[in-house]
Amino acid sequence: MTTATRTARHPSTLATLWRSTVGKKAVMAVSGLAMLLYLVAHMLGNLKVFFGPEDINGYAAWLRTLGQPFLGHEWFLWIARVGLLAAVLLHGVAAYQLSRRDRAARPARYAHRRRRASYATRTMRWGGVILALFLVWHILDLTTLTVNPNAEHGKPYQNIVASFGTWYGCGIYIVAMLAVGLHVRHGFWSAAQTLGANNARRDRALKLTANGLALLLTVGFLSVPVAVMTGVVS
């Protein structure tokens, strides 16, 4: 028997894990937590806009040199982007496949029993779609600057003010950040259940943590466009 034949007959542990429902839920939980950490760091970086152009522009320049001389110029940013993209793709694919698997296995007579979960399920599903579309817009707006009205490389402060100085830039961002809050609220609790972190004594604390994180991120991210719209940041 050749090695190729043995491999075909005996899938790897990772492949077996990925094909299982439990494995897909674990992938969603871990990738979701990785994205949550990124969101917290990204929000804190965004809040530097309140300290003026020099502060946030200097922060952006520092990110490009992070890890030098071991890493090259902007290597850290590209490593982070690739890692984030991988987390987003794994999260989205696992969510889609779990949704299809759930629908295929759902008997029609149990449909009325699942109405309680329909709100959270719809929120996560449509929230995920909104965030995926927003991610494309956000990259074009503030990373590649393709659609940004200012488009000055290395000057995030000016680009942020230009983007949120338009009604559509603010509108897109506000809708997306509300979706982030709802997604984090439901997702954090689901991830805790999947990873076995919840129990009768921890449930209250985990729910408070989920609500607190969702509120913190929503308010933190929305404070920037609101500040631009009101002239606090200009």
Side-chain angles (χ1 to χ4, degrees):
M1 184 183 295
T2 65
T3 302
T5 304
R6 286 197 300 269
T7 302
R9 292 184 179 181
H10 301 285
S12 67
T13 303
L14 286 177
T16 302
L17 183 65
W18 172 252
R19 290 170 186 168
S20 70
T21 297
V22 173
K24 291 183 188 299
K25 287 183 177 180
V27 167
M28 280 197 69
V30 173
S31 60
L33 290 174
M35 288 187 288
L36 177 60
L37 291 175
Y38 169 80
L39 284 173
V40 172
H42 190 45
M43 180 199 69
L44 293 174
N46 284 0
L47 293 179
K48 286 183 173 291
V49 75
F50 289 100
F51 298 96
E54 291 186 5
D55 202 297
I56 193 168
N57 290 350
Y59 169 70
W62 172 75
L63 285 177
R64 289 175 170 78
T65 62
L66 194 59
Q68 290 183 339
F70 180 74
L71 298 178
H73 187 68
E74 292 192 354
W75 281 23
F76 172 81
L77 280 177
W78 281 106
I79 291 171
R81 286 166 181 165
V82 171
L84 181 62
L85 178 62
V88 169
L89 290 176
L90 286 171
H91 197 79
V93 171
Y96 175 73
Q97 292 182 352
L98 282 171
S99 178
R100 286 180 60 86
R101 187 172 294 184
D102 182 58
R103 288 184 180 182
R106 185 189 306 172
R109 64 179 178 273
Y110 291 145
H112 67 284
R113 297 182 182 180
R114 301 184 62 87
R115 287 177 185 171
R116 292 181 182 177
S118 63
Y119 169 72
T121 301
R122 286 198 304 269
T123 299
M124 294 296 285
R125 183 179 299 129
W126 288 109
V129 172
I130 290 170
L131 292 177
L133 293 173
F134 169 73
L135 186 60
V136 175
W137 167 265
H138 197 52
I139 290 172
L140 293 173
D141 185 24
L142 293 174
T143 301
T144 65
L145 305 179
T146 306
V147 298
N148 191 278
N150 189 59
E152 289 189 66
H153 288 279
K155 294 186 176 181
Y157 183 94
Q158 289 78 2
N159 296 329
I160 288 171
V161 171
S163 177
F164 296 146
T166 63
W167 66 268
Y168 56 87
C170 278
I172 291 171
Y173 196 83
I174 288 171
V175 170
M177 292 308 104
L178 291 175
V180 164
L182 289 172
H183 209 77
V184 167
R185 181 173 179 268
H186 294 308
F188 184 88
W189 175 246
S190 297
Q193 288 180 307
T194 299
L195 298 176
N198 67 309
N199 58 39
R201 290 181 299 177
R202 295 177 188 160
D203 281 357
R204 180 178 173 80
L206 286 170
K207 287 179 180 179
L208 287 173
T209 302
N211 291 335
L213 277 172
L215 181 61
L216 176 68
L217 287 169
T218 303
V219 172
F221 278 119
L222 289 183
S223 66
V224 178
V226 169
V228 174
M229 285 190 294
T230 56
V232 174
V233 171
S234 60

